[in-house]
Amino acid sequence: MRSTLSKFVAVVTAGAATLALAACGSGDASTTGQKLRVGTLTDAPPSIYLENGTFTGYDNELLRDIAKREGFEVEFVGTEFAGLLAAVATNKFDIGSSTISTTEARKKTVAFSNGYSTGFTSIITKKGAGLKDVGAYNGKRLGVVQASVQDDFASGKVPGANVVRFPDYNAGFAQLKGGSLDGWVVPKDIGQKYIDQNPDLQLEFGYTVETKDTPSAFAVRKDNKELLKKLNDGLAKAVADGTVARLHARFFKTEPLPKELEQGGPGLPVQNSGV
């Protein structure tokens, strides 16, 4: 099972990296030639996941490309989303890579690179459940990954829902499969992957809303301006030469690429708070 492998790899990777980079990310210290620790998830394809023991997905392959352009290396470490931003802020990780939506609340904790994707929040339900609008979920059990944008959505914009929080996607999907949830709130691309891989479960999208105002971006510590500049410079180059477009087409077979990220496009600038 992917969840078991994910936990094993995350523990081994974290143990091997305990002594790495005590000085990385400290203020404006140079990252050139350094190996930076990246906190990421293990179970959220096509964006961030483990495949045959290797961290991959759109976010992580893009970050590898940026690192190569900007002269540093990356070491991925599996973690849970709920503590990821705090771990970046306290220097446990140099970078957070996890389709992190750039909300105003999160900008108080970390700084964000410019955006590299936009997306949709969706609620997956059993086929025929008839839960097609937010009002239909009053009194229903909705699963979310704790501290995610989907958690905020379910808690604040789905009136009367009973929100059930999980540490990762696999845990929530297991409960949906077992019938203890009425809906599972996820990024649409992750939900589509699960629906496609599990046709026997007879699942569908019950409700979907666009989240273009909070593009996904990499997270860094607020005082690490040198690394933030490198991420933005590398991302701009990847947009300009079509690398972002190619990676997006590779991992997102049906989702359209935002026009801002097309080859030669202006990109998705993010305005940080207090940076």
Side-chain angles (χ1 to χ4, degrees):
M1 291 293 291
R2 173 176 285 159
S3 59
T4 302
L5 174 62
S6 301
K7 291 177 182 177
F8 173 77
V9 173
V11 170
V12 172
T13 306
T18 309
L19 300 178
L21 302 173
C24 276
S26 56
D28 288 332
S30 176
T31 60
T32 301
Q34 298 287 342
K35 181 181 285 185
L36 305 187
R37 297 187 75 217
V38 181
T40 189
L41 273 63
T42 61
D43 60 350
S47 299
I48 50 258
Y49 62 101
L50 271 174
E51 184 172 71
N52 300 322
T54 299
F55 288 94
T56 187
Y58 172 70
D59 299 44
N60 290 340
E61 295 302 337
L62 176 57
L63 184 55
R64 279 193 176 97
D65 178 85
I66 292 171
K68 185 176 180 180
R69 294 175 191 268
E70 297 300 313
F72 61 90
E73 298 180 40
V74 288
E75 177 181 32
F76 293 98
V77 181
T79 189
E80 293 180 356
F81 186 82
L84 176 56
L85 296 187
V88 172
T90 57
N91 206 31
K92 179 179 179 180
F93 299 125
D94 296 283
I95 303 171
S97 173
S98 187
T99 314
I100 308 169
S101 296
T102 54
T103 67
E104 290 303 315
R106 290 172 177 174
K107 291 175 185 177
K108 297 176 181 178
T109 302
V110 296
F112 288 104
S113 71
N114 290 330
Y116 55 77
S117 70
T118 62
F120 298 82
T121 288
S122 294
I123 304 177
I124 300 177
T125 68
K126 292 286 188 179
K127 281 188 177 179
L131 303 173
K132 297 297 184 182
D133 60 77
V134 290
Y137 292 90
N138 185 17
K140 303 294 185 182
R141 285 171 57 84
L142 283 184
V144 298
V145 171
Q146 184 177 358
S148 65
V149 168
Q150 290 73 40
D151 188 347
D152 295 341
F153 169 78
S155 304
K157 298 185 179 180
V158 187
N162 180 10
V163 180
V164 185
R165 295 172 176 86
F166 297 94
D168 55 44
Y169 289 98
N170 281 338
F173 278 131
Q175 294 298 311
L176 180 67
K177 179 179 180 179
S180 64
L181 294 177
D182 298 295
W184 176 233
V185 191
V186 294
K188 185 182 178 184
D189 55 287
I190 294 173
Q192 187 65 61
K193 189 84 170 184
Y194 192 80
I195 291 172
D196 293 344
Q197 291 179 341
N198 298 273
D200 57 310
L201 297 184
Q202 295 294 297
L203 301 173
E204 66 180 1
F205 290 122
Y207 177 81
T208 296
V209 61
E210 188 172 9
T211 54
K212 193 172 182 178
D213 57 333
T214 54
S216 299
F218 300 114
V220 300
R221 218 173 56 254
K222 278 196 167 190
D223 64 349
N224 202 341
K225 298 178 182 179
E226 192 259 358
L227 178 55
L228 183 62
K229 182 178 185 303
K230 285 195 171 187
L231 290 174
N232 284 338
D233 288 348
L235 177 57
K237 294 169 187 173
V239 172
D241 69 9
T243 298
V244 166
R246 288 190 292 273
L247 286 173
H248 192 278
R250 170 183 166 189
F251 287 101
F252 301 98
K253 305 298 184 183
T254 60
E255 293 293 323
L257 177 71
K259 290 186 178 299
E260 295 91 338
L261 298 176
E262 292 177 356
Q263 185 169 356
L268 292 167
V270 170
Q271 182 66 46
N272 287 290
S273 299
V275 175

